Amino acid sequence: MDAMNLLGMYWWALLVKGISAVVFGLFAIFWPGPTLIALVYIFSAYILIAGIMDITLGIYSRNRSNFWLFGLILGVLEVGVGVYAIRHPQVTLAAFILLVGFTFLFRGVLQIVAAFLEETPDRASKFLLALVGGLSVLAGIYILLQPAAGSLAFVWALGVYALIVGPMEIARAAEVRVLFEQHRTRLAT
Protein backbone atom coordinates (compact mmCIF):
# COMPACT_ATOMS: atom_id res chain seq x y z
CA MET A 1 0.00 0.00 0.00
CA ASP A 2 1.43 3.38 -0.96
CA ALA A 3 1.53 6.46 1.27
CA MET A 4 -1.48 8.05 -0.45
CA ASN A 5 -3.71 5.08 0.34
CA LEU A 6 -2.44 4.98 3.91
CA LEU A 7 -3.08 8.67 4.54
CA GLY A 8 -6.45 8.43 2.86
CA MET A 9 -7.53 5.61 5.09
CA TYR A 10 -6.61 7.50 8.25
CA TRP A 11 -7.55 11.08 7.38
CA TRP A 12 -9.97 10.98 10.30
CA ALA A 13 -7.04 10.84 12.76
CA LEU A 14 -5.84 14.20 11.42
CA LEU A 15 -9.37 15.52 11.73
CA VAL A 16 -9.66 14.41 15.38
CA LYS A 17 -6.32 16.07 16.18
CA GLY A 18 -7.47 19.32 14.56
CA ILE A 19 -10.84 19.34 16.29
CA SER A 20 -9.26 18.62 19.68
CA ALA A 21 -6.83 21.51 19.14
CA VAL A 22 -9.71 23.88 18.34
CA VAL A 23 -11.66 22.75 21.41
CA PHE A 24 -8.58 23.23 23.59
CA GLY A 25 -7.98 26.66 22.04
CA LEU A 26 -11.55 27.76 22.71
CA PHE A 27 -11.29 26.68 26.34
CA ALA A 28 -8.00 28.55 26.73
CA ILE A 29 -9.28 31.78 25.13
CA PHE A 30 -12.79 31.97 26.58
CA TRP A 31 -12.03 30.39 29.97
CA PRO A 32 -8.66 32.01 30.73
CA GLY A 33 -8.92 32.01 34.49
CA PRO A 34 -8.98 28.29 35.29
CA THR A 35 -6.78 26.96 38.01
CA LEU A 36 -3.53 25.33 37.03
CA ILE A 37 -5.06 21.94 37.75
CA ALA A 38 -7.91 22.55 35.28
CA LEU A 39 -5.45 23.76 32.64
CA VAL A 40 -3.27 20.71 33.20
CA TYR A 41 -6.26 18.39 32.73
CA ILE A 42 -7.48 20.20 29.61
CA PHE A 43 -4.00 20.17 28.07
CA SER A 44 -3.51 16.55 29.15
CA ALA A 45 -6.70 15.47 27.39
CA TYR A 46 -5.62 17.28 24.22
CA ILE A 47 -2.08 15.89 24.25
CA LEU A 48 -3.31 12.35 25.07
CA ILE A 49 -5.72 12.41 22.11
CA ALA A 50 -2.98 13.72 19.82
CA GLY A 51 -0.56 11.09 21.14
CA ILE A 52 -2.97 8.21 20.67
CA MET A 53 -3.70 9.36 17.10
CA ASP A 54 0.04 9.65 16.33
CA ILE A 55 0.76 6.20 17.79
CA THR A 56 -2.14 4.74 15.79
CA LEU A 57 -0.88 6.30 12.56
CA GLY A 58 2.68 5.20 13.33
CA ILE A 59 1.67 1.58 13.93
CA TYR A 60 -0.59 1.35 10.89
CA SER A 61 1.99 2.93 8.60
CA ARG A 62 4.90 0.84 9.94
CA ASN A 63 5.63 -1.03 6.70
CA ARG A 64 4.16 1.50 4.32
CA SER A 65 5.82 4.82 5.03
CA ASN A 66 9.27 6.28 5.67
CA PHE A 67 8.14 8.53 8.50
CA TRP A 68 6.16 6.09 10.64
CA LEU A 69 8.82 6.11 13.35
CA PHE A 70 8.58 9.89 13.76
CA GLY A 71 4.84 9.66 14.37
CA LEU A 72 5.32 6.78 16.79
CA ILE A 73 8.02 8.64 18.77
CA LEU A 74 5.92 11.79 18.83
CA GLY A 75 2.86 9.85 20.00
CA VAL A 76 4.77 8.12 22.79
CA LEU A 77 6.19 11.47 23.92
CA GLU A 78 2.75 13.10 23.87
CA VAL A 79 1.12 10.25 25.79
CA GLY A 80 3.96 10.36 28.33
CA VAL A 81 3.54 14.09 28.82
CA GLY A 82 -0.23 13.72 29.13
CA VAL A 83 0.00 10.89 31.67
CA TYR A 84 2.63 12.77 33.68
CA ALA A 85 0.49 15.90 33.74
CA ILE A 86 -2.59 13.96 34.88
CA ARG A 87 -0.68 12.11 37.60
CA HIS A 88 1.03 15.27 38.91
CA PRO A 89 -1.55 18.08 38.84
CA GLN A 90 0.29 19.90 41.60
CA VAL A 91 3.15 20.59 39.21
CA THR A 92 4.20 24.22 39.34
CA LEU A 93 3.26 26.59 36.58
CA ALA A 94 6.88 27.10 35.54
CA ALA A 95 7.51 23.35 35.26
CA PHE A 96 4.28 22.89 33.31
CA ILE A 97 5.19 25.74 30.95
CA LEU A 98 8.63 24.22 30.31
CA LEU A 99 7.06 20.79 29.73
CA VAL A 100 4.67 22.28 27.19
CA GLY A 101 7.45 24.27 25.51
CA PHE A 102 9.66 21.21 25.03
CA THR A 103 6.70 19.17 23.77
CA PHE A 104 5.84 21.81 21.15
CA LEU A 105 9.49 22.17 20.12
CA PHE A 106 10.00 18.42 19.71
CA ARG A 107 6.66 18.00 17.95
CA GLY A 108 7.46 20.80 15.51
CA VAL A 109 10.87 19.41 14.60
CA LEU A 110 9.37 15.96 13.95
CA GLN A 111 6.57 17.44 11.83
CA ILE A 112 9.05 19.41 9.71
CA VAL A 113 11.21 16.31 9.18
CA ALA A 114 8.11 14.23 8.37
CA ALA A 115 6.99 16.85 5.82
CA PHE A 116 10.25 16.38 3.91
CA LEU A 117 10.15 12.59 4.15
CA GLU A 118 6.47 12.20 3.27
CA GLU A 119 6.07 10.29 0.01
CA THR A 120 2.82 11.85 -1.12
CA PRO A 121 3.01 13.91 -4.32
CA ASP A 122 0.70 16.50 -2.75
CA ARG A 123 2.71 19.65 -2.09
CA ALA A 124 -0.14 21.37 -0.23
CA SER A 125 -0.27 18.62 2.39
CA LYS A 126 3.51 18.71 2.82
CA PHE A 127 3.42 22.50 3.09
CA LEU A 128 0.67 22.42 5.73
CA LEU A 129 2.58 19.82 7.76
CA ALA A 130 5.78 21.86 7.56
CA LEU A 131 3.88 25.06 8.42
CA VAL A 132 2.24 23.44 11.46
CA GLY A 133 5.66 22.12 12.47
CA GLY A 134 7.22 25.57 12.09
CA LEU A 135 4.48 27.12 14.21
CA SER A 136 5.03 24.43 16.83
CA VAL A 137 8.76 25.18 16.91
CA LEU A 138 8.11 28.94 17.23
CA ALA A 139 5.53 28.40 19.98
CA GLY A 140 7.91 26.07 21.81
CA ILE A 141 10.78 28.56 21.62
CA TYR A 142 8.54 31.41 22.77
CA ILE A 143 7.24 29.38 25.69
CA LEU A 144 10.74 28.26 26.71
CA LEU A 145 12.05 31.84 26.60
CA GLN A 146 9.15 33.13 28.75
CA PRO A 147 8.71 30.48 31.49
CA ALA A 148 7.96 33.04 34.18
CA ALA A 149 5.29 34.81 32.11
CA GLY A 150 1.95 35.32 33.73
CA SER A 151 -0.46 32.43 33.65
CA LEU A 152 -3.15 34.41 31.81
CA ALA A 153 -0.76 35.35 28.99
CA PHE A 154 0.45 31.76 28.85
CA VAL A 155 -3.10 30.40 28.59
CA TRP A 156 -3.93 32.86 25.83
CA ALA A 157 -0.73 32.03 23.92
CA LEU A 158 -1.61 28.33 24.07
CA GLY A 159 -5.16 29.08 22.99
CA VAL A 160 -4.10 31.20 20.02
CA TYR A 161 -1.61 28.54 18.96
CA ALA A 162 -4.27 25.81 19.15
CA LEU A 163 -6.78 27.95 17.23
CA ILE A 164 -4.22 28.46 14.44
CA VAL A 165 -2.92 24.89 14.27
CA GLY A 166 -6.29 23.16 14.74
CA PRO A 167 -7.91 24.51 11.56
CA MET A 168 -4.69 23.77 9.66
CA GLU A 169 -4.88 20.14 10.77
CA ILE A 170 -8.57 20.04 9.80
CA ALA A 171 -7.71 21.51 6.37
CA ARG A 172 -4.92 18.98 5.96
CA ALA A 173 -7.34 16.14 6.81
CA ALA A 174 -9.84 17.43 4.24
CA GLU A 175 -7.12 17.76 1.60
CA VAL A 176 -5.82 14.25 2.26
CA ARG A 177 -9.34 12.84 2.05
CA VAL A 178 -10.03 14.58 -1.27
CA LEU A 179 -6.70 13.44 -2.71
CA PHE A 180 -7.39 9.89 -1.55
CA GLU A 181 -10.83 9.91 -3.20
CA GLN A 182 -9.28 11.22 -6.44
CA HIS A 183 -6.56 8.59 -6.24
CA ARG A 184 -9.11 5.84 -5.64
CA THR A 185 -11.26 7.07 -8.55
CA ARG A 186 -8.22 7.04 -10.87
CA LEU A 187 -7.38 3.49 -9.83
CA ALA A 188 -10.97 2.38 -10.45
CA THR A 189 -10.98 3.66 -14.05
Side-chain angles (χ1 to χ4, degrees):
M1 179 178 292
D2 65 0
M4 180 60 68
N5 282 331
L6 178 69
L7 285 173
M9 289 171 44
Y10 300 105
W11 65 269
W12 56 269
L14 296 171
L15 182 65
V16 169
K17 283 176 63 176
I19 290 170
S20 64
V22 169
V23 169
F24 172 76
L26 291 173
F27 269 107
I29 295 296
F30 294 111
W31 191 34
T35 63
L36 176 59
I37 293 172
L39 178 61
V40 168
Y41 285 129
I42 292 168
F43 176 76
S44 298
Y46 160 70
I47 206 72
L48 279 172
I49 290 169
I52 290 167
M53 291 298 112
D54 285 332
I55 288 172
T56 301
L57 285 172
I59 290 171
Y60 282 115
S61 64
R62 182 178 62 244
N63 295 322
R64 301 173 191 112
S65 173
N66 289 337
F67 65 97
W68 70 271
L69 185 60
F70 294 115
L72 192 63
I73 291 170
L74 175 61
V76 169
L77 173 72
E78 289 170 331
V79 167
V81 168
V83 168
Y84 177 83
I86 286 173
R87 294 198 58 184
H88 299 92
Q90 72 281 6
V91 70
T92 65
L93 180 60
F96 178 66
I97 291 171
L98 291 175
L99 191 62
V100 170
F102 281 119
T103 300
F104 282 171
L105 188 63
F106 188 70
R107 175 189 196 119
V109 169
L110 287 179
Q111 286 175 320
I112 291 169
V113 170
F116 286 105
L117 295 180
E118 193 171 303
E119 294 176 4
T120 180
D122 175 39
R123 289 184 178 172
S125 181
K126 285 183 172 189
F127 175 75
L128 279 174
L129 183 60
L131 184 61
V132 168
L135 287 172
S136 293
V137 167
L138 291 176
I141 289 170
Y142 173 77
I143 290 169
L144 291 173
L145 292 176
Q146 304 295 327
S151 61
L152 185 62
F154 174 69
V155 171
W156 282 343
L158 279 179
V160 168
Y161 167 80
L163 288 175
I164 291 171
V165 170
M168 288 180 166
E169 290 284 355
I170 292 169
R172 186 165 176 253
E175 179 70 23
V176 166
R177 183 169 187 232
V178 166
L179 287 171
F180 173 68
E181 292 298 327
Q182 291 172 350
H183 178 74
R184 197 166 70 178
T185 303
R186 278 192 302 264
L187 290 177
T189 55

